[in-house]
Amino acid sequence: MLFGTLAKKHVKELMYRLKEEDEIGFSKLKEEFQLDKSYLSRLLRELESENLVSRREERENRRMPKSYYAITENGKKVIDLYELEQEIRENK
């Protein structure tokens, strides 16, 4: 469920971070957020299944593929939702 995914810890920060660059590698996100590899992978898969992020794989010399993530148009709308939430909180 979309709102359940959006409410998870680190998702808001991940979405804002993905908005900052065209594309970010999994390793860079793991390093910046200091998250467990499997937890980060699970979060990104959920965001991808909700069509909020897209993933691209790049293979170099038959090694394990490197994954790169980008925010989608729907993901950008989620940023608007987060900003609306902040505005509502400030206007209480």
Side-chain angles (χ1 to χ4, degrees):
M1 179 173 181
L2 177 63
F3 288 110
T5 300
L6 295 179
K8 288 187 176 184
K9 190 173 183 177
H10 304 293
V11 168
K12 183 176 183 178
E13 294 82 6
L14 273 170
M15 294 301 294
Y16 273 102
R17 181 65 183 98
L18 288 166
K19 185 181 179 218
E20 291 175 4
E21 291 187 43
D22 290 336
E23 192 175 68
I24 304 173
F26 180 86
S27 298
K28 187 171 182 179
L29 288 171
K30 183 180 173 293
E31 179 182 312
E32 287 182 20
F33 284 90
Q34 296 291 301
L35 296 174
D36 177 74
K37 180 180 176 179
S38 61
Y39 178 68
L40 178 59
S41 180
R42 198 167 40 250
L43 280 180
L44 289 167
R45 271 196 313 269
E46 284 184 50
L47 293 170
E48 187 179 4
S49 74
E50 296 286 356
N51 193 31
L52 302 177
V53 301
S54 62
R55 178 174 53 95
R56 176 180 70 82
E57 286 187 351
E58 190 174 279
R59 292 189 179 270
E60 294 180 10
N61 303 328
R62 294 188 179 273
R63 294 188 322 197
M64 290 290 291
K66 292 182 179 181
S67 295
Y68 296 89
Y69 294 87
I71 195 167
T72 63
E73 288 303 314
N74 285 340
K76 291 176 184 174
K77 291 175 186 174
V78 164
I79 297 293
D80 293 340
L81 183 63
Y82 285 136
E83 290 174 356
L84 178 60
E85 175 197 27
Q86 184 63 35
E87 184 180 322
I88 290 169
R89 287 178 187 260
E90 290 171 358
N91 290 325
K92 281 187 176 181

